[in-house]
Amino acid sequence: MPEAVDAVEMQAALLRLRRTSGLPVVFGGLLSDARHARIAELNGAQTSALRGLVISAGSGLGGKAIALSRPCAVTDYAISRHISHEYDAAVAAEGLRSVVAVPVVVRRAVRGVLYGALRTPVTLGDRTFDAVVAAARDVEQSLAVRDSARQLLAAGRERVSDPDAVPGAWEDVREAHRDLRALVPRVVDPALRDELLEVCGRLASASGAKASTAREIRLAPREVDVVACVAAGATNAAAAERLGLRPETVKGYLRSAMRKLGAHTRLEAVVAARRAGLLP
């Protein structure tokens, strides 16, 4: 799964970084262990000199950023006295001079490093520096989402195996279902998103409930998300915060879901959704 994030999230972050910063060269990679990162994604590079380069903590500019867990920059890489020079050949082959490296940090642990570079020796301005930091934060958020998804998937599979075996387990099943559905829209990797939805479906059908109407009731994904939040007792404002939506948008989804479910109250909507096998 780290490879999927590296290929999808890192590429997206680097593309946004070039567009927002104007930097001609951006690149980065995730850590393969606690002390080594591999440069796997590049945007704007003219050679392959940097691709696959393994950066060790403490070595070069990126290694310094990893070791210190903070952004580092140099105005002229080749002659800088503030870094070691193990990677000078690759940097020179690409013609890089002014470089900034920003660590990707999730829960206080460095998970990767992003670079932005110019081919001229000039001091990077605050706007450029902030853009690289923002790109690293985007990757951090994606990694945090992936970590949460994996944890919730494991919990969801455990709960769906036999919900009746443990008293009170149905509340855990419903909580896992709600949390997983809230996470799905934030996941970019399609394989992981499909996996989340598959477990959501298993959780929703764990009770064995079937649609009681002649025609199958179909709710849009966001309508199910909103009803799942309502089932947990969330207000429209609380559901909006959890789902990253506006309260007015939540209200619209809930109104639409209630109409499809033939419900006149929030409670009726939850009961109907469970009878239809849309919620656990």
Side-chain angles (χ1 to χ4, degrees):
M1 191 54 63
E3 292 81 4
V5 174
D6 209 353
V8 177
E9 300 293 358
M10 190 70 77
Q11 286 177 2
L14 293 177
L15 181 59
R16 288 193 298 270
L17 176 56
R18 278 197 77 191
R19 289 173 175 170
T20 58
S21 68
L23 288 166
V25 187
V26 293
F27 52 101
L30 300 179
L31 267 67
S32 56
D33 57 45
R35 294 187 56 81
H36 300 91
R38 178 178 174 272
I39 305 302
E41 302 299 330
L42 299 95
N43 195 303
Q46 296 177 347
T47 73
S48 60
L50 296 169
R51 186 175 297 279
L53 198 65
V54 176
I55 308 299
S56 299
S59 300
L61 183 67
K64 182 177 180 180
I66 292 171
L68 298 178
S69 191
R70 63 174 175 81
C72 298
V74 294
T75 300
D76 196 338
Y77 193 101
I79 63 174
S80 175
R81 298 180 180 179
H82 302 293
I83 60 172
S84 60
H85 289 274
E86 293 86 348
Y87 312 111
D88 280 8
V91 173
E94 189 57 46
L96 306 183
R97 304 291 292 278
S98 182
V99 186
V100 58
V102 179
V104 174
V105 183
V106 181
R107 297 183 182 91
R108 299 186 180 181
V110 178
R111 301 278 292 275
V113 60
L114 259 65
Y115 299 82
L118 296 170
R119 293 189 171 90
T120 52
V122 297
T123 301
L124 293 169
D126 290 342
R127 182 178 177 182
T128 300
F129 190 87
D130 290 345
V132 183
V133 171
R137 299 297 171 265
D138 287 345
V139 179
E140 289 171 2
Q141 184 176 10
S142 297
L143 288 171
V145 167
R146 191 201 74 195
D147 292 348
S148 296
R150 282 297 170 198
Q151 292 170 0
L152 286 171
L153 277 172
R157 289 195 176 96
E158 180 180 353
R159 285 169 171 79
V160 79
S161 58
D162 189 4
D164 293 315
V166 180
W170 273 111
E171 289 307 313
D172 291 339
V173 169
R174 288 163 180 161
E175 181 180 353
H177 178 267
R178 183 186 71 245
D179 291 346
L180 282 167
R181 288 211 61 97
L183 195 62
V184 168
R186 299 168 57 193
V187 174
V188 175
D189 179 58
L192 179 55
R193 190 168 58 244
D194 289 345
E195 195 172 356
L196 288 168
L197 288 171
E198 186 270 334
V199 173
C200 284
R202 291 174 61 194
L203 287 168
S205 61
S207 66
K210 302 294 183 181
S212 58
T213 56
R215 62 180 181 83
E216 184 180 0
I217 297 174
R218 293 186 180 276
L219 297 187
R222 274 311 203 186
E223 292 170 350
V224 177
D225 296 342
V226 168
V227 177
C229 287
V230 170
T235 63
N236 288 350
E241 183 176 358
R242 171 176 286 274
L243 299 174
L245 301 172
R246 295 170 59 86
E248 294 80 4
T249 305
V250 167
K251 187 182 297 185
Y253 281 129
L254 180 57
R255 188 163 47 240
S256 175
M258 290 172 65
R259 184 175 62 253
K260 294 177 182 178
L261 292 165
H264 298 91
T265 67
R266 297 161 71 91
L267 178 58
E268 286 181 3
V270 171
V271 172
R274 286 178 176 158
R275 286 177 176 169
L278 298 172
L279 295 181

